[in-house]
Amino acid sequence: MLVFYKERLAFLAVPKTGTTAYQSALRTRADIVIANPPELKHAPVYRYNRFFRPMFDRVCGVEMETLAVIRHPLSWLGSWYRYRRRDGMEGHRNSTHDVSFDTFVDAYLRGDRPSYANVGSQLKFLETRPNGTGITYLYKYENQPGLNAFLEERLKVQLNLSRENTSPEMELSLSQGTRNKLERKLQQEFELHASAL
């Protein structure tokens, strides 16, 4: 998470959406950088609402706007699958070395996910809270030029991004049955992605 106090902006870091590159590029420009532990670096809206929003509200008397990135659900799952298949993951309980992408996605769509497919949910991460706290600006991962333009204008900076924390490149495919199941079960996530900037 990156906080820009003067600009009243908190950039929440949805996992596997390129936010590590933004953290590296903007860490000296941000007022608060939460890089660790992962539970705080990747604080979802509900955790931001519970711990961070009250701090700015009660201590500073300000309401922050929030920014986040959402990735196309299939691309997001593909990134997790490839990330958990990187060198050194062999034999780890979260490794995807011994499962196909189709098996991984099918396991993700089950109610009781095996550890290798337990990667959370973008929809849950971004869920607006009952008090109205949610994401003010939601950009598609696929619209990096739009996100970059927004940040450069809002923060008055010139971004110089590098690729970081990337997953190994590989071709991935799904059976039509698994694709249909994915689109049916993650319909709200597909709709949220489609509604993003």
Side-chain angles (χ1 to χ4, degrees):
M1 183 191 303
L2 298 171
V3 175
F4 306 94
Y5 180 74
K6 187 175 78 172
E7 291 81 9
R8 305 291 194 261
L9 185 67
F11 189 170
L12 277 60
V14 179
K16 306 311 293 169
T17 61
T19 51
T20 300
Y22 287 95
Q23 179 181 297
S24 293
L26 294 169
R27 69 180 314 117
T28 59
R29 175 63 179 77
D31 296 298
I32 301 172
V33 177
I34 302 173
N36 274 303
E39 296 80 8
L40 293 180
K41 174 185 177 178
H42 296 295
V45 170
Y46 74 83
R47 197 167 288 143
Y48 171 82
N49 181 57
R50 183 169 180 192
F51 298 107
F52 297 98
R53 185 198 55 75
M55 176 176 61
F56 294 116
D57 179 37
R58 294 177 191 150
V59 177
C60 306
V62 299
E63 185 69 33
M64 305 292 278
E65 290 187 311
T66 55
L67 167 67
V69 176
I70 186 171
R71 193 167 181 164
H72 185 277
L74 184 56
S75 172
W76 185 75
L77 287 170
S79 183
W80 270 115
Y81 174 80
R82 291 181 287 111
Y83 183 70
R84 290 186 165 189
R85 199 178 177 99
R86 69 193 185 277
D87 290 341
M89 285 294 289
E90 299 91 337
H92 190 280
R93 66 186 187 95
N94 289 342
S95 172
T96 55
H97 278 272
D98 297 325
V99 297
S100 68
F101 183 53
D102 204 270
T103 300
F104 172 80
V105 172
D106 186 65
Y108 177 79
L109 297 173
R110 285 191 239 145
D112 185 22
R113 298 174 182 149
S115 61
Y116 67 80
N118 192 12
V119 296
S121 161
Q122 292 183 105
L123 186 68
K124 189 73 177 161
F125 186 105
L126 299 165
E127 187 176 50
T128 300
R129 307 313 302 151
N131 67 357
T133 300
I135 298 299
T136 313
Y137 305 100
L138 182 61
Y139 278 86
K140 289 180 177 83
Y141 171 84
E142 299 79 12
N143 181 19
Q144 300 218 345
L147 173 60
N148 294 348
F150 171 82
L151 286 167
E152 288 182 346
E153 171 62 27
R154 182 79 175 245
L155 304 177
K156 306 298 184 223
V157 296
Q158 182 71 42
L159 279 174
N160 185 17
L161 297 172
S162 58
R163 287 180 52 99
E164 296 193 30
N165 201 25
T166 57
S167 303
E169 292 296 324
M170 66 182 70
E171 286 294 318
L172 301 176
S173 62
L174 280 185
S175 67
Q176 192 59 51
T178 303
R179 183 180 294 272
N180 292 345
K181 186 177 176 183
L182 174 71
E183 291 173 358
R184 186 178 71 252
K185 290 204 166 201
L186 298 188
Q187 180 181 350
Q188 288 181 292
E189 195 156 321
F190 278 95
E191 290 170 355
L192 182 61
H193 176 266
S195 73
L197 299 168

